[in-house]
Every structure is written in C-alpha cells, then in structure tokens.
Amino acid sequence: ASRSTRGIEGLRAPLVGRAEELGEIRRALADLGDGQGSMLAILAEAGLGKSRLIAETRALLPANVKWAEGRALSFTAGMSYWLAREIVLSLLNVKPEAAQSEIAAALQKSLNGQSEIYPFLARLLELPVDAVTEERVKFLSSEALRSGILEALGGYIRRRARHEPLILVWEDLHWCDPSSLELLSACSW
C-alpha cells in the first residue's frame, strides 16, 4: 500500500536530509512507549518537508498508539476553538461533517465515567444539549465557561493518555485561532 502526503498519489521518494529530525522523533516515540510524553515542534518555511516528516512519523507508529490530528486553515483563524475541535473529533474517530447526533454519541461513549465534563466538551464541539445539561453551563460567565472548557479538555486528554499512548498533531499553528492556541499552551497534557 502506498502512502501519499502532498504530491502525486503512489509516488514515493526517500526522505533526504532529515536523519537528525527522524532520530529525535524515534527517541520521542520510544519514550512514549515507556510512558513518558514530550512535545516536539517542527518549524520550517513552506515547502521544506514538514508534512512529509509528519507522514514519516505516522508510518513509524506502533499499533497501540492513537494519532489525532487537526489542521488550522487560513480562513479559520477567527473561528473559536477550530483546531481544538479538530483534535477532539479526530480522537473520537468522527469526521467534522458527521451528524451532530453521531458526534454526541461518540463523545458520550468515550467519556467512560467522566460525564461531568460533557457540557463543556459539547459546548466546545458546538453540540446541542438537553435542558438539564444546558442548566449546568447556562449561567456561567464567559470566563468560567472558557475555564471549564480548558479543564474539561485537559482532563479528557489526560484520561485518554493514561489508557493509550496519544500523539496529538496540531498543524499550521501560524493560522491557529487564539482560543485553540490558548488551550494548547495552557493545558498540562
């Protein structure tokens, strides 16, 4: 089976000039297998192989590692929680265009005993909620709601990471919306 990133489907060429970066990624993957997380940043000008390096990383993954990816786009910079929503949907294995009922069901199933954070994650995912759930967040100030979303997402990801190794890929951060960037920088994953 052939993989493609950007370019011609089925056409593969060896990755050249990235041995040092791949070595660092391999070490981080080995550490992840030993239960130690880390954060890696891939920075380079356009066209220098960042997406290819990410594709090569994905090809190195052991079967037990969950990969969740979100990509910021130029037109999403002003959309609250766009990139964070992409990451959560990827963790839930649902497409962004899935029906809200499918997303809500996947979220409920994945919470596994963390139902108290559902109203905050539902708000993050822009899901409709029933009246009882809405009561839990309806009168919160915008700061308290933002704080609740931050805490809920951090707790959700930490719980997921205790049960399976996770790799969260946040692509094109230069277009990231401020609310997602705040979640990324504030959460102690």
Side-chain angles (χ1 to χ4, degrees), residues 89-154:
L89 291 172
S90 185
L91 281 169
L92 295 174
N93 291 321
V94 295
K95 301 280 186 210
E97 63 273 6
Q100 289 183 324
S101 60
E102 180 184 346
I103 296 170
L107 179 59
Q108 285 282 10
K109 182 179 178 186
S110 77
L111 289 178
N112 196 22
Q114 286 185 302
S115 60
E116 74 283 354
I117 67 174
Y118 181 82
F120 297 102
L121 295 180
R123 189 60 72 95
L124 171 75
L125 294 172
E126 298 179 342
L127 298 172
V129 294
D130 60 35
V132 173
T133 303
E134 180 62 27
E135 279 296 314
R136 295 184 57 201
V137 295
K138 181 164 74 172
F139 297 111
L140 293 178
S141 68
S142 60
E143 178 61 31
L145 181 61
R146 186 186 64 73
S147 179
I149 288 172
L150 181 74
E151 189 176 312
L153 182 60

Side-chain angles (χ1 to χ4, degrees), residues 4-189:
S4 75
T5 54
R6 297 177 185 171
I8 301 171
E9 180 71 33
L11 182 62
R12 294 284 299 158
L15 185 63
V16 176
R18 296 288 187 212
E20 185 177 331
E21 290 89 348
L22 276 175
E24 189 170 335
I25 289 168
R26 282 188 175 98
R27 284 189 294 279
L29 289 174
D31 289 345
L32 184 62
D34 293 337
Q36 181 180 347
S38 62
M39 183 180 291
L40 301 176
I42 301 172
L43 305 170
E45 295 296 321
L48 293 181
K50 296 179 302 291
S51 294
R52 175 67 189 275
L53 195 55
I54 290 169
E56 293 294 325
T57 300
R58 194 164 188 174
L60 295 172
L61 288 186
N64 69 325
V65 175
K66 172 69 177 164
W67 178 280
E69 184 173 339
R71 179 184 302 270
L73 303 168
S74 61
F75 61 88
T76 64
M79 302 169 115
S80 293
Y81 299 114
W82 170 271
L83 191 52
R85 207 171 14 260
E86 290 272 303
I87 293 290
V88 173
L89 291 172
S90 185
L91 281 169
L92 295 174
N93 291 321
V94 295
K95 301 280 186 210
E97 63 273 6
Q100 289 183 324
S101 60
E102 180 184 346
I103 296 170
L107 179 59
Q108 285 282 10
K109 182 179 178 186
S110 77
L111 289 178
N112 196 22
Q114 286 185 302
S115 60
E116 74 283 354
I117 67 174
Y118 181 82
F120 297 102
L121 295 180
R123 189 60 72 95
L124 171 75
L125 294 172
E126 298 179 342
L127 298 172
V129 294
D130 60 35
V132 173
T133 303
E134 180 62 27
E135 279 296 314
R136 295 184 57 201
V137 295
K138 181 164 74 172
F139 297 111
L140 293 178
S141 68
S142 60
E143 178 61 31
L145 181 61
R146 186 186 64 73
S147 179
I149 288 172
L150 181 74
E151 189 176 312
L153 182 60
Y156 176 71
I157 289 179
R158 282 189 299 276
R159 185 194 58 78
R160 292 280 307 251
R162 280 193 295 272
H163 295 294
E164 64 184 336
L166 296 177
I167 293 184
L168 306 179
V169 179
W170 299 63
E171 282 205 65
D172 295 327
L173 284 178
H174 57 286
W175 285 323
C176 186
D177 59 277
S179 50
S180 291
L181 197 54
E182 179 186 20
L183 284 175
L184 173 63
S185 59
C187 282
S188 56
W189 309 104

